[in-house]
Amino acid sequence: SAVISQKPSRDICQRGTSLTIQCQVDSQVTMMFWYRQQPGQSLTLIATANQGSEATYESGFVIDKFPISRPNLTFSTLTVSNMSPEDSSIYLCSVSAGNSYNEQFFGPGTRLTVL
Amino acid sequence: AQKITQTQPGMFVQEKEAVTLDCTYDTSDPSYGLFWYKQPSSGEMIFLIYQGSYDQQNATEGRYSLNFQKARKSANLVISASQLGDSAMYFCAMSGYGNKLVFGAGTILRVKS
């Protein structure tokens, strides 16, 4: 299984500012995913990030609000731009195991609170 | 479109007893995977068990087993001999095109001593 770390683990931010979340994997992976989990809710996929190509965003999420970088096979960043209190969530990155299971391993998450 | 339904917002179980968490799914894809994840209060997502749509036998992983009924489109998680540390949120999820996971709403499990 892959070991995934995220930075920061939590943050409190002011509205109108931006925060960049980092996701580091201990092995090379093709597919990385970013999810949002709003308080008391389930996980919702924001986008899929493949190295060497633009991220693919799900319905309701746009690049201007959630720009993603994927510079190499072990690292990705998600930026939450122009934040509002509605952006307060846990943001999780995950990677595909690359096996027939399509199993995904998750990072520990970033708890974001926007005031 | 794929959809996961978890109808139990919360469940209680007595320590050392077994509990079943319900999950039904909907998909038009013939090939798919079904997963269960555990999310403790710390927020991390812990993979528990997987069932492939073509698997003939129900998956088992230690105290976890998946009761897969394909015709009924259900994939219930059975936890045997519940422990206090099993108290957490449990999510059922499905994978399909593009390796994306679709999650259910989750079930909060509380184990009583």
Side-chain angles (χ1 to χ4, degrees), chain A residues 31 33 35 37 40-45 48 56 58 90 92 96 100-109 111, chain B residues 33 35 37 39-47 50 55 89 91 95-96 98-106:
Chain A
M31 303 183 76
F33 305 87
Y35 291 85
Q37 186 178 24
Q41 303 296 312
S42 185
L43 281 74
T44 301
L45 181 64
T48 303
T56 302
E58 297 299 304
I90 299 175
L92 299 110
S96 175
S100 59
Y101 289 5
N102 292 335
E103 177 186 346
Q104 289 187 19
F105 301 106
F106 284 82
R111 290 180 182 268
Chain B
F35 302 82
Y37 285 87
Q39 187 178 44
S41 57
S42 59
E44 61 185 311
M45 292 289 286
I46 302 169
F47 166 76
Y50 164 87
D55 293 343
M89 176 73 88
F91 290 102
S95 69
N99 285 0
K100 302 176 186 179
L101 285 182
V102 175
F103 286 85

